[in-house]
């Protein structure tokens, strides 16, 4: 398997490239519209073909590159079935593995950041990786104060679905704002500032309620745009329109 962690600096988003060397198919987890062409260039350089884009959730901080990549590379759009988006080609749900060549991703339903958020577990030989989207971050977690966020649900998702994975499972988050790249379940269980070290549900909810975060700058157009897999919504700023308007791309 080929694995790359790609970064989009404006939203500090990690996009993950999984390449199956047997079939030549690649999957991009959480692609961002700004870096669609760069990501395709990486895939092409590796001699792979983009088969799927895969979303962990409907993002509020950036527009997904799913639709643009479909237009540019013919990839199919996969994401949580619970989102019920007409633009999704393949709806994923917990208990039903998503198989691309020799790669098998196990969807884990991890609500709390949003009500339909999923993480994806990938086992390759002795290496276990979990792509945690905005549920579990390195020494943090996704915010729970907008969209369909719910701090109690997030606590349960992380404790019941993620912290029950083996301690050596590699944690690859959807964002990092301090240039941290990877963690492990054991490390986060022990040291995560918000819910490690045996913090109780009540302690966690109090931490989340006290965050007082700024309103997300792009949410008003990112959410409606992402509900259409990255289509430009009518209220997208002009400078974004050239990025997401797929009808203008060659
Ligand atoms: Fe998010």
């Amino acid at each position: 398997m080929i694995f790359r962690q790609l970064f989009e600096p404006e939203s500090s988003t990690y996009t993950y490239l999984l390449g199956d060397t047997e079939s030549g198919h690649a999957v991009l987890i959480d692609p961002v519209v700004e870096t669609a062409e760069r990501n395709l260039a990486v895939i092409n350089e590796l001699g792979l073909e983009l088969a799927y884009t895969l979303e962990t959730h409907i993002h509020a901080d950036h527009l997904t590159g799913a639709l643009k990549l479909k237009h540019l590379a013919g990839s199919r759009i996969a994401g949580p079935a619970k989102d019920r988006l007409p633009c999704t080609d393949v709806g994923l749900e917990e208990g039903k593995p998503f198989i691309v060549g020799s790669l098998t991703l196990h969807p884990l339903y991890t609500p709390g950041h949003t009500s339909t958020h999923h993480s994806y577990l990938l086992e390759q030989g002795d290496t276990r990786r979990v792509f945690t989207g905005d549920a579990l971050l390195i020494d943090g977690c996704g915010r729970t104060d907008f969209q369909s966020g719910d701090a109690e649900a997030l606590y349960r998702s992380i404790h019941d679905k993620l912290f029950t994975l083996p301690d050596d499972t590699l944690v690859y988050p959807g964002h990092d704002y301090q240039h941290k790249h990877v963690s492990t379940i054991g490390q986060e269980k022990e040291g995560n500032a918000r819910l490690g070290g045996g913090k109780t549900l009540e302690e966690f909810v109090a931490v989340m309620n006290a965050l007082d975060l700024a309103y997300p700058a792009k949410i008003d157009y990112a959410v409606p745009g992402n509900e259409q897999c990255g289509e430009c919504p009518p209220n997208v700023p002009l400078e974004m329109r050239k990025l997401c308007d797929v009808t203008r791309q060659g």
Side-chain angles (χ1 to χ4, degrees), residues 56-62 113-114 117 133-134 142 146-147 175:
T56 54
H57 65 292
I58 294 172
H59 308 278
D61 64 316
H62 66 265
H113 174 63
T114 71
H117 185 288
D134 292 0
F146 63 86
Q147 284 181 283
H175 298 283

Side-chain angles (χ1 to χ4, degrees), residues 146-237:
F146 63 86
Q147 284 181 283
S148 46
D150 179 335
E152 283 192 37
L154 184 59
Y155 184 89
R156 291 201 189 89
S157 292
I158 292 174
H159 271 261
D160 299 351
K161 301 283 176 73
L162 302 176
F163 281 0
T164 51
L165 296 170
D167 278 355
D168 63 357
T169 306
L170 298 170
V171 172
Y172 285 100
H175 298 283
D176 192 82
Y177 305 95
Q178 277 126 27
H179 305 284
K180 287 177 285 190
H181 293 259
V182 61
S183 183
T184 64
I185 289 295
Q187 166 106 21
E188 295 309 314
K189 252 161 58 174
E190 192 181 311
N192 187 292
R194 292 191 187 162
L195 29 53
K199 284 214 169 49
T200 64
L201 172 64
E202 290 70 27
E203 287 172 312
F204 176 68
V205 171
V207 166
M208 296 310 285
N209 286 344
L211 287 179
D212 195 24
L213 297 165
Y215 188 72
K218 295 183 177 178
I219 188 170
D220 291 334
Y221 62 85
V223 169
N226 289 329
E227 285 172 345
Q228 297 178 79
C229 296
E231 182 96 63
C232 273
N235 59 341
V236 77

Side-chain angles (χ1 to χ4, degrees), residues 15-172:
T15 296
Y16 296 97
L17 162 56
L18 316 178
D20 172 37
T21 42
E22 285 173 31
S23 64
H25 286 164
V27 178
L28 279 178
I29 301 178
D30 286 340
V32 180
V33 75
E34 277 89 342
T35 44
E37 279 98 345
R38 180 208 60 187
N39 294 347
L40 266 188
V42 174
I43 289 168
N44 291 337
E45 273 167 34
L46 291 166
L48 299 167
E49 192 177 296
L50 183 63
Y52 289 96
T53 59
L54 171 56
E55 304 291 332
T56 54
H57 65 292
I58 294 172
H59 308 278
D61 64 316
H62 66 265
L63 269 180
T64 172
L67 196 65
K68 185 169 184 175
L69 288 161
K70 180 175 189 162
H71 182 77
L72 294 174
S75 45
R76 303 183 77 202
I77 298 175
K82 285 180 188 291
D83 286 330
R84 295 206 187 103
L85 302 182
C87 55
T88 297
D89 297 304
V90 184
L92 304 184
E93 54 191 299
E94 189 173 287
K96 292 189 181 166
F98 177 55
I99 297 167
V100 179
S102 66
L103 307 177
T104 302
L105 285 153
H106 298 278
L108 301 171
Y109 178 42
T110 48
H113 174 63
T114 71
S115 62
T116 55
H117 185 288
H118 281 64
S119 302
Y120 301 104
L121 176 67
L122 175 72
E123 292 172 297
Q124 284 291 114
D126 292 340
T127 308
R128 213 177 272 107
R129 295 177 175 91
V130 64
F131 303 97
T132 54
D134 292 0
L136 179 62
L137 304 180
I138 299 174
D139 199 22
C141 65
R143 60 194 292 180
T144 54
D145 59 333
F146 63 86
Q147 284 181 283
S148 46
D150 179 335
E152 283 192 37
L154 184 59
Y155 184 89
R156 291 201 189 89
S157 292
I158 292 174
H159 271 261
D160 299 351
K161 301 283 176 73
L162 302 176
F163 281 0
T164 51
L165 296 170
D167 278 355
D168 63 357
T169 306
L170 298 170
V171 172
Y172 285 100

